[in-house]
Structures are given as structure tokens and as C-alpha cells.
Amino acid sequence: MPGNEWEKIRHLLVVQDLQGQRTIPLQETTYSIGRDSRNAIVLRSRSVSRQHAILLRVTLPETDQYGFRIIDGNFKGKSSTNGLYVNGMKCVSHNLQHGDVIAFGNNQVQAKYYAISHISEKAFSESVDIDNISDFLLEQAHAANPFPTLAVDPNFEAASETALARLASFPELIPNPIIEMDLGGTITYLNPAASAKFPKIREIGNKHPVLTGLLNALEDHQLNSFSREITVDQEVFEQFIHYLPESDLIRTFIVRDITEQKQAEAELRQRDRLLQAVAEAANYLLVEMNYETGIDKALAVLGEAAKADRAYLFKNHYHSDTGEMALSLQFAWKRTHLAASRFHWQNQLYQASELARWYATLSGGKSISGSIQEFPVAEQKLLARDEIKSLLLVPLRLEDEFWGCIGLADCTHERTWSRHEESTLLTMAASISGAWQRQQVEEKIRYQALHDMLTGLPNRFFFNEILAKTLTNATRNRESLAVLFLDLDRFKVINDTLGHTIGDRLLQMVAQRLKESLREGDTVARWGGDEFTILLPHINYLDEVAQVAQKILQTLEKIFCLDGHELYISASIGISVFDAHSHDVETLIQHADAALYYAKDEGRNNYQFYTTTLSAKTPELLNLEKSLRYAVDRQELTVYYQPRVNIVTGKITGMEALVRWKNPEMGLVAPNIFIPLAEESGLIIPIGTWVLRTACIQNKAWQAAGLPPLTVAVNLSPKQFRQATLVEDVAKILAETGLEPHFLELEITESTAIADLEFTRNVLQKLELMGVHLSIDDFGTGHSSLSRLQLLPLHNLKIDRSFIQELTTDVRVAHIVKAIVTLGRSLGLRLTAEGVEKQEELDFLKSINCEDVQGYFFYKPMPADKATEVLQNRHFSEVEEKNGVGHKYEKSEV
């Protein structure tokens, strides 16, 4: 048993009343004694007052020991009815000594007081159940009389009525510690609460935190009363200090224990700091254009606010060697005195013993928190490299996917992380995940905005941006550069015949070869379609540019193998060099484009440098072709309709669909200008398909409006007619628009028909079986004969306008036209004369029994709304007679 426990004085009161004997250990500071059941010690006897006496614990001066004083009466000072007797002597109060016998009014109720030492806690607890307590105490312990055995000053206040009043009042009873000290630093008084709370205060004296600095504090405050906060062994108290000048004493009163309050306040301040840090960090993540800068700032402000030593952001990835899940340190913040740690946190496998628990916990959405002494040994070794004593990690999740974690580390203390710190880190994790997702989206959007999605090359916009920056540097450094404009020569044929899938893959392979042909620092971009632009910076000699261009041409000449196809392709390249004539982005590209035109004109598969002698018309034609590429998407194309009129009846028997192009900048572009461009560039195919669909839709709309049905004729260009999917495309358009096949007439030129007669017959037979009407357009210009064309399943023959224009001026032409009509009718073909503009032409055509005519004499080509108006007005009714022939004709004002 420890010495201090052995020497401790223990106090007992053995009570004998009408209900028997019981032993009461005296451990509280005060007891009320009486008959009333609300008393601490209840005495069963009518001779005892309801509140007969007070038993008060009294601290002995200059010691840590205490005794008990018994006082007659209650706390209000009212005496008992039958009085209080100690050892047979009536008294108002008495300092109890070991062995004192107390009688409460008479001998019916007595109590005996024991003050004993050298007894174990176990034996003391068992004493309450011993019948013969006196014999037990003689065997187990030594009697202790605190009052007589200690040297007590005869003038000790406890003997006076003032002391009695004090002992029975506030200081001795309340649970708050009260200490008095003189100006020399000697403790003059401790109440029971002070002795219990600060058991070593007498031993330590004025160096005890409760008393430290009191004299100086009095001088500093220059007041007799003030308060302060003190800390004793991690506990914080609010202390009131009062100086008693009349007795030169300093009395201190521990008002309350404010440890929990201070902890709560500290937690609130920490929470506020963390919340502010989260807001500040979130702002960094939101406003910083650079994602990495935002993360660095966010981790720094979070680490400072959490009073951590390190802050980490780890990202998951697949290990480059094994393909297993691993993590690497992507961002880190640390205190300046700590060593960097990034290098040993790279490619750490989750399957390793050090991180297996981390993956299981974090991927499950839970946090890892605590002192590393609580972690598995393998983890301790890993964390010891960063001198970490405590760690908090929370997962980074995005759409339920675990993609990393962020953490705080303390390298100074074995710290317990608060719930505020964990929730703050979780909030930060959500912000970082959002920022990361936003960054990924922004990067993707920016990449898509600046790159061609098919080839992955920079697009036109990005190329211009790169060229502008390079041009600025070249100007500043007095250097030169070159721009190459490249167009594939045979790509459109491949794309049209083998399909867009093969065409797209070919473009990808071309892009790869172009990249491999260039020098380091050069840039290749996809300008659009099968066009590419190349930037060659830091040019010193034209030979350098020529060598690159030649290398590109040679690279593209090598065979391309795609899905069993062996493809050959070449390119034409135009080159402009930064000089006085080509001095900005726009002119450099325009001049390279112009040079490209001449490369094509020189037989393709070559390169040409731009010179000032190039025709000014070349860029215009080239720009026209480029604008035409976007005409369909921009809805710049429209379909006009020219009626076909029966010579005898004057009725409209059909409509011919004619494409027109109205450019926003150039206005209405003549068909004889843009149609050849479309044919050469291959654009005629999508344009022709669009015209065919539009014409079918319009014809169906006229029928739905109740107008008499008629055929609509659509021209097929040579390239469109030779499309492998022509028949399927026509069938599909008819099915989509709901137009019956016999209301559609397809026209091909005589030259197209005889280019490959067997191919033409095969295609036309399929179209005829479908029910489509077929016509030869511009007959007489293709050096053919009806004897050859009779092999084809034709329905209509259109006499070229060049014959009609010379009909009345050249007798030989008149005989030719008459022969065509006669032979055509004998073959069962319907004859239509194009370009009729004069009455004499009309009279002659009627005289030779030509059935239908087209031309300005009746109608010019007109928009769909005007054509609809004409059909509604005429409604195939009879017309007035003209020149005495059947009916009167009127020229259209359209």
C-alpha cells in the first residue's frame, strides 16, 4: 500500500438509535443530521429535532489533513430542541476527536466518532458491516486525533465565534477551491475543495499555477479585485483574485472549470479557420485558370488552417509495368523545415502490404485516421520516411469512382484528428474532384476546339493561332518561316468509290505520314476535307522548304493498304514564305493557297512557290470552291423550277429542277461557274443528292396541294451517275419522300451515256424497272447517234439549245432537228426542245411535230413559291390562242 495511502486519516461515525447500529464513513465536506428523512444522516428518535446538528469538515491550518466539527442546530442558525452533548458536556460546537461520544438530546440516540490511520481502503470499506467496530479498529488501525496531536496555535481562528461562523458558511461548504496567501507567498488557508483539487499546492507553494504571478498581477492591474484564466495540468480554470489590504492577504477563488469551454472555443475557432480555408481553397480551384496552381494553393491554405505539417494529393493510375492499380503523389505541401517527399511516393502498388488496407478502406468511401503507432508495421515504415506521426486520409471520388485521396499529416504530435478536420477534408475532396472533372471537361472542350477529331491534328483555328505566335517571334528575331498548303490529288475518287469509312482511315494514315515527314518544331494541321497546312519555322534557305515538300510528296507516293485495297495517292503543295509580300497570317495562307492552284495546274503531284506574278483570279476561284464546300450546310443553295410546255395544248407537262447558289458575299453565282467547280472538286455528288431529294419533296407537296400530277426532271452529273450506290440512293429518296417513281424523270447528258454504253444500259435498266422516267439531255452535243442510244431504255429526248438558237438561221440545222424529231418519234421517244425564245422557233417545232418545249418564250427558271403560283393560276387550263395556233401563249414575267 503506498505510503500516502497508509498515512491517510479516515473518519467514521458509528450511530446507535432506536433502529440499531450502523457505521457511516465520513467522506463528504458537510452532513446535516436530524430526524427528517431529507437529512444526510437520519436519526430515528422523537427526541431528535428535524434538523438537529451540522457535521462540518474542517481543514487544519498549514496541513493537508482535516477533521470534523459538529455544530448544534441547522444551517440557518436555529438550535436543536434538546441540545447537543459531547462526552456528556452540552455544547454549541465541538472539534471532534477520536473516541468522542455524541448524544442528541438524551441517551436514546448516540454516535461515536473515530479518526483512524494505517488502514487499507478495503478494510475501511468493510468496517461499515462490523458489529463490534471498536475491537475491529483496535486490530486493524491506529487511532488518530488530528486536533490534539498537531501543534495548533492557541489563537487559531477555529476557536472563535468568527471562525465558527466562517466554518459553517460559504468557504468550507462550497465545492469551489478557495486559497489564501500572504504577501510573502505563504498559504494561510485552503478550503476542503482546494485541498482536494490541488493536493500538492502546499508543497509547491507560490510556484503552483494557481498562485504563480499573483503579486505581479496585482501590481499590473492596480486593482484589489480582478480575474484571470489559469491552466493546471491541461485543465483551464477561471480564477477570481481579491486583495485584502487590512490583513495583507490575497484570496483566490476558482470560479469554474472552463476546460471544456476552452476546448469547445478552440474547436470552434479551428472549425472557423477550416471553413474559411475551404472557402478560400474552393475559390482558388474555381478562379485559377491553371488547375495545378489552384491545387497547390488549396493544399497550402488547408495545411496551414489545419495546423498540419504536410498536405498530400495522391492520384490512382495503372502501373506502367504491371498494369496493376497504383497511386502516385501528384501534389504536396509541407512546412519549410521538412524534406520533400514526392520521389518515394511514385508508382506505389496498392497490392503491396504497405497500401492494401488503404485501398480497401478508401475505395469503400471511408477515411483513414489516427496515430501511425496504431497502423500496421508495414505502413509505419512507409510513413516514417516522411517523419509522420499522425495521418488523416479521405478518398477522392467522382461519380462513385475512387480516383485518389487527399491527406493531412502531423510530423510533431501523435494527433487525434477531429470530426471537423475530417469533414473539412471531405468537403475539400469534393471540391477537388469537381475541379478535376471541370478541368478534364475544359481540356476536352479545348482539345476538341483546337484539334481535328478524325486525325488528332491541330485544326484551322489552332493552326492560325500557332502561326500568329510564330510570326511574332520571327519578326522579333528577324527570322523567316514558310507555310505549305497541301491538297490530296486523288482522294475524292477513293472516297466516292470506296466509301467514307475507307476515306477517313486514309486521311488518318496520311496525317501520320505527314507528321513523320516533318522536322522537330514543325506543325501540320488539317485545314478541312483533304487539305492540310504545314508551318515550317526558322527557315534560312528556300532549299530547306523544298526538301521538306519533296519528302512529303515521296512519302505519300508509297502504297496505302486498307482492308485489302492497295491505294495510291499523291498531293499538290503550294508554298508561301514570310517576306514583304506575305507578311501576315491571312496573306501567308492565301498565297500558299494560290500557289497550290498552280501546282494542280502543273499536273499535280508537285509543289510550287508563290510569286507575285500569279494571277489575281486564282485566289478568287479557289475561294469560290472553298465557299461552295459549305453552301449546303449554310443553306445557300436553292432549287429553281422551269416548266415544260406542250406545244399543242399549252399545258405544263413537267418541271425541270435547276440548282442555284446565292452566296452572302458574292450574290447569285452563275451555274456555268460553280457547276464545273463542283464537278471538279467532287462536291457535285452531295449537291446532286440534295437537289434530287428537294425536287421530290416539292413535287409531292404540289400533289398534296391538289394540283394535277406532273413529272419533275432532275439532272444527274457524270460523277453522280457513276456512283455505285446511285440506284439505291434514288430508291431511298423516293421511299423517304413518298413520291411515286413515274413522277420522277432523271436526265443524263449524251456524253455521259455513251462514255460507257454497257454501264449506262445496266444502270438505266435498273432505274426503269423501278418505274423512273429516263431522259437524254443536250442531245446532239456528244457525237453520238440515235442508233446507239436506241439500245438504252429511254423515255425522253431533249434537243440541245445550241440547235434551237440556229434553227431559223441555218437550213442545215433545221434539217438536223427535223431528222432528230422524226427518228425519235419513230423510236417511241418524247421530244423536248430546250432554249425556245422566239415565235419562229416555236412555229417550226410545231410544224415538225415536236411535242414539248422549254425556254424563256414561256417561263424562266423560278423559285418554288413562284412555280407553285404559276401552277395554281394555270391549273392546266386552256390558254388563249396565239398566232392562230390552237392556243394563245403568254411569256412569263418571272
Side-chain angles (χ1 to χ4, degrees):
M1 180 167 48
N4 59 346
E5 189 72 15
W6 186 254
E7 296 173 359
K8 181 178 181 180
I9 299 176
R10 306 176 189 276
H11 306 267
L12 293 174
L13 191 67
V14 180
V15 177
Q16 180 74 43
D17 59 11
L18 296 179
Q19 291 189 2
Q21 176 180 301
R22 62 189 183 278
T23 302
I24 302 171
L26 301 178
Q27 297 173 325
E28 303 297 329
T29 57
T30 182
Y31 296 87
S32 59
I33 303 174
R35 187 176 77 244
D36 194 289
S37 60
R38 290 172 293 180
N39 287 292
I41 300 175
V42 180
L43 303 178
R44 277 76 174 186
S45 173
R46 299 294 298 176
S47 64
V48 178
S49 299
R50 289 185 178 276
Q51 292 179 326
H52 199 106
I54 297 170
L55 192 60
L56 184 68
R57 190 168 72 180
V58 180
T59 304
L60 302 182
E62 300 181 3
T63 73
D64 292 330
Q65 301 291 351
Y66 60 86
F68 279 88
R69 171 180 286 255
I70 191 164
I71 305 170
D72 182 67
N74 60 18
F75 284 105
K76 296 182 180 180
K78 182 179 180 182
S79 301
S80 65
T81 303
N82 296 321
L84 181 69
Y85 297 85
V86 179
N87 299 327
M89 300 293 294
K90 186 175 183 179
C91 60
V92 175
S93 66
H94 179 74
N95 289 332
L96 292 175
Q97 299 180 19
H98 178 70
D100 283 348
V101 178
I102 308 163
F104 301 90
N106 55 40
N107 292 328
Q108 286 185 339
V109 180
Q110 290 187 350
K112 192 170 185 179
Y113 169 75
Y114 295 92
I116 57 176
S117 63
H118 294 76
I119 185 172
S120 68
E121 187 69 36
K122 181 175 181 296
F124 179 68
S125 301
E126 293 174 351
S127 66
V128 298
D129 300 320
I130 302 300
D131 293 332
N132 191 344
I133 187 64
S134 298
D135 293 342
F136 173 79
L137 293 176
L138 288 174
E139 294 174 2
Q140 297 290 332
H142 299 283
N145 282 317
F147 286 99
T149 57
L150 293 174
V152 180
D153 187 343
N155 299 318
F156 172 52
E157 290 185 34
S160 66
E161 292 300 325
T162 302
L164 179 61
R166 186 179 72 181
L167 291 172
S169 64
F170 185 71
E172 294 287 330
L173 299 179
I174 66 171
N176 300 75
I178 298 176
I179 305 105
E180 280 183 357
M181 181 182 76
D182 61 24
L183 297 182
T186 302
I187 297 174
T188 59
Y189 173 70
L190 294 174
N191 77 337
S195 297
K197 187 65 180 176
F198 311 117
K200 295 183 179 181
I201 192 168
R202 286 190 181 278
E203 177 183 343
I204 298 173
N206 59 9
K207 293 183 179 180
H208 193 280
V210 175
L211 305 176
T212 299
L214 281 184
L215 295 176
N216 293 334
L218 284 170
E219 294 177 1
D220 292 341
H221 287 83
Q222 297 181 349
L223 296 170
N224 288 346
S225 299
F226 62 92
S227 63
R228 68 176 185 175
E229 292 179 3
I230 59 172
T231 301
V232 182
D233 297 332
Q234 306 299 320
E235 293 182 293
V236 185
F237 302 95
E238 182 180 3
Q239 180 185 31
F240 179 78
I241 296 120
H242 182 61
Y243 173 55
L244 306 173
E246 66 277 5
S247 57
D248 285 335
L249 292 175
I250 301 172
R251 179 175 294 165
T252 73
F253 180 75
I254 303 301
V255 180
R256 59 195 175 107
D257 185 338
I258 56 174
T259 305
E260 291 185 1
Q261 174 188 322
K262 286 297 179 181
Q263 290 174 345
E265 290 175 356
E267 287 183 8
L268 287 174
R269 286 194 299 271
Q270 177 69 348
R271 185 188 66 178
D272 291 342
R273 279 195 300 269
L274 292 172
L275 290 175
Q276 183 178 355
V278 167
E280 189 176 346
N283 185 59
Y284 286 138
L285 295 171
L286 185 64
V287 303
E288 278 290 345
M289 297 298 293
N290 187 304
Y291 169 75
E292 294 185 356
T293 301
I295 293 292
D296 284 334
K297 290 183 177 180
L299 289 182
V301 73
L302 181 64
E304 291 285 1
K307 297 181 179 179
D309 293 316
R310 295 182 185 274
Y312 298 110
L313 188 151
F314 296 97
K315 189 174 180 181
N316 296 345
H317 61 90
Y318 292 106
H319 197 281
S320 57
D321 295 332
T322 66
E324 296 172 317
M325 185 60 70
L327 91 164
S328 291
L329 181 60
Q330 193 173 37
F331 299 95
W333 169 88
K334 65 178 183 64
R335 299 286 179 185
T336 54
H337 66 279
L338 295 172
S341 57
R342 185 182 295 257
F343 71 95
H344 61 252
W345 280 109
Q346 301 303 313
N347 298 309
Q348 293 285 336
L349 289 172
Y350 273 121
Q351 292 184 353
S353 59
E354 297 92 339
L355 298 180
R357 183 178 72 97
W358 287 23
Y359 187 82
T361 304
L362 295 170
S363 63
K366 297 180 180 179
S367 303
I368 293 174
S369 176
S371 167
I372 67 166
Q373 297 300 322
E374 304 167 355
F375 290 10
V377 175
E379 294 180 23
Q380 292 182 29
K381 291 180 180 179
L382 181 67
L383 297 172
R385 293 185 298 181
D386 279 356
E387 305 176 41
I388 295 174
K389 294 185 180 297
S390 295
L391 182 68
L392 172 62
L393 289 174
V394 301
L396 289 166
R397 303 185 69 85
L398 187 62
E399 297 178 352
D400 290 332
E401 181 182 354
F402 168 50
W403 67 274
C405 59
I406 59 173
L408 296 171
D410 195 317
C411 301
T412 309
H413 306 96
E414 293 184 0
R415 178 172 177 174
T416 300
W417 302 93
S418 69
R419 59 184 179 85
H420 293 309
E421 289 162 335
E422 183 175 353
S423 62
T424 298
L425 205 56
L426 286 168
T427 303
M428 182 61 65
S431 297
I432 290 175
S433 293
W436 183 77
Q437 183 183 39
R438 186 169 60 254
Q439 183 238 8
Q440 298 301 306
V441 171
E442 289 173 355
E443 284 186 356
K444 183 178 180 180
I445 292 173
R446 177 168 174 77
Y447 183 86
Q448 291 175 342
L450 299 178
H451 290 80
D452 170 55
M453 291 297 100
L454 177 64
T455 63
L457 296 178
N459 59 14
R460 178 186 304 196
F461 177 84
F462 197 16
F463 182 83
N464 285 341
E465 186 177 294
I466 296 171
L467 177 56
K469 292 179 180 178
T470 308
L471 199 57
T472 300
N473 293 332
T475 303
R476 182 172 56 250
N477 299 327
R478 297 182 179 181
E479 297 176 342
S480 188
L481 58 83
V483 172
L484 282 63
F485 211 120
L486 181 150
D487 182 88
L488 300 179
D489 293 333
R490 287 187 281 272
F491 174 75
K492 293 191 171 49
V493 175
I494 295 172
N495 200 44
D496 294 345
T497 56
L498 298 181
H500 294 293
T501 301
I502 295 293
D504 287 348
R505 290 179 59 191
L506 179 59
L507 285 174
Q508 291 171 338
M509 296 178 71
V510 167
Q512 184 61 35
R513 288 195 187 182
L514 289 176
K515 287 191 294 183
E516 294 171 354
S517 301
L518 298 180
R519 310 166 306 167
E520 185 177 355
D522 296 342
T523 301
V524 57
R526 186 183 180 200
W527 192 255
D530 60 347
E531 296 175 328
F532 298 85
T533 50
I534 299 166
L535 170 61
L536 306 180
H538 312 301
I539 294 300
N540 297 315
Y541 306 100
L542 290 181
D543 285 348
E544 296 179 63
V545 183
Q547 289 172 5
V548 173
Q550 188 61 42
K551 184 178 180 181
I552 290 173
L553 295 177
Q554 292 173 352
T555 301
L556 294 180
E557 286 178 351
K558 298 176 183 177
I559 190 171
F560 290 87
C561 296
L562 279 170
D563 292 347
H565 300 284
E566 293 184 351
L567 306 177
Y568 293 89
I569 197 166
S570 62
S572 300
I573 301 175
I575 305 170
S576 64
V577 179
F578 175 41
D579 55 22
H581 302 290
S582 305
H583 57 277
D584 58 30
V585 171
E586 184 176 357
T587 55
L588 276 165
I589 294 174
Q590 284 181 350
H591 291 169
D593 210 355
L596 171 64
Y597 176 86
Y598 279 96
K600 287 181 175 293
D601 197 45
E602 289 295 319
R604 304 174 184 267
N605 194 26
N606 72 96
Y607 62 87
Q608 296 292 328
F609 283 90
Y610 174 82
T611 65
T612 55
T613 59
L614 292 181
S615 170
K617 187 179 179 182
T618 299
E620 294 177 2
L621 287 175
L622 192 57
N623 287 335
L624 190 66
E625 180 182 339
K626 292 180 183 302
S627 298
L628 185 59
R629 293 179 184 274
Y630 304 103
V632 176
D633 293 337
R634 294 173 180 171
Q635 298 181 342
E636 296 176 7
L637 297 180
T638 187
V639 176
Y640 276 41
Y641 298 90
Q642 187 175 33
R644 183 174 63 201
V645 179
N646 184 277
I647 292 179
V648 177
T649 65
K651 294 181 179 180
I652 297 175
T653 59
M655 288 283 190
E656 182 178 3
L658 303 165
V659 64
R660 294 293 184 265
W661 177 24
K662 187 173 184 181
N663 184 274
E665 297 177 356
M666 296 178 285
L668 196 63
V669 183
N672 63 336
I673 293 178
F674 78 82
I675 293 296
L677 282 176
E679 185 74 29
E680 180 184 352
S681 64
L683 292 172
I684 196 66
I685 294 172
I687 291 175
T689 302
W690 176 82
V691 172
L692 178 61
R693 179 178 284 103
T694 303
C696 290
I697 292 172
Q698 183 59 62
N699 198 6
K700 186 67 178 178
W702 285 329
Q703 294 180 11
L707 297 174
L710 72 165
T711 60
V712 61
V714 179
N715 293 284
L716 297 179
S717 74
K719 284 191 176 182
Q720 190 177 8
F721 181 71
R722 286 178 172 77
Q723 284 287 293
T725 59
L726 174 65
V727 177
E728 290 80 0
D729 292 342
V730 172
K732 182 179 179 181
I733 289 173
L734 289 172
E736 289 175 352
T737 59
L739 184 68
E740 296 178 38
H742 61 272
F743 290 121
L744 173 64
E745 182 175 314
L746 297 178
E747 299 181 0
I748 59 173
T749 64
E750 180 185 1
S751 300
T752 301
I754 65 174
D756 185 340
L757 205 59
E758 185 61 31
F759 174 83
T760 302
R761 183 168 59 180
N762 183 42
V763 173
L764 295 184
Q765 285 175 346
K766 292 178 180 178
L767 291 171
E768 184 190 34
L769 288 174
M770 193 187 300
V772 175
H773 283 204
L774 305 170
S775 175
I776 291 294
D777 192 19
D778 299 338
F779 182 77
T781 63
H783 308 289
S784 181
S785 65
L786 283 175
S787 61
R788 294 178 67 186
L789 294 180
Q790 69 177 335
L791 301 174
L792 303 177
L794 300 172
H795 303 90
N796 196 5
L797 192 68
K798 300 184 75 173
I799 305 171
D800 186 69
R801 66 180 65 247
S802 62
F803 289 101
I804 305 304
Q805 290 171 354
E806 299 179 15
L807 189 64
T808 58
T809 60
D810 192 327
V811 176
R812 291 176 300 174
V813 172
H815 286 302
I816 292 173
V817 171
K818 182 176 180 181
I820 291 174
V821 171
T822 301
L823 187 55
R825 290 179 62 84
S826 68
L827 295 175
L829 299 177
R830 189 179 187 93
L831 277 297
T832 302
E834 295 182 297
V836 177
E837 298 181 0
K838 300 176 183 178
Q839 181 67 49
E840 305 88 69
E841 297 167 354
L842 184 66
D843 291 342
F844 179 80
L845 292 170
K846 184 180 178 184
S847 69
I848 62 174
N849 296 320
C850 182
E851 296 164 285
D852 295 328
V853 291
Q854 257 181 270
Y856 283 16
F857 187 81
F858 297 101
Y859 299 100
K860 296 179 181 179
M862 64 191 81
D865 56 342
K866 293 293 184 180
T868 302
E869 186 179 335
V870 167
L871 291 175
Q872 290 174 337
N873 289 339
R874 298 199 46 114
H875 208 267
F876 301 116
S877 62
E878 291 184 359
V879 297
E880 297 180 1
E881 294 183 0
K882 185 178 182 182
N883 296 326
V885 180
H887 294 277
K888 180 180 179 181
Y889 301 109
E890 291 182 351
K891 291 185 180 181
S892 170
E893 297 299 327
V894 179

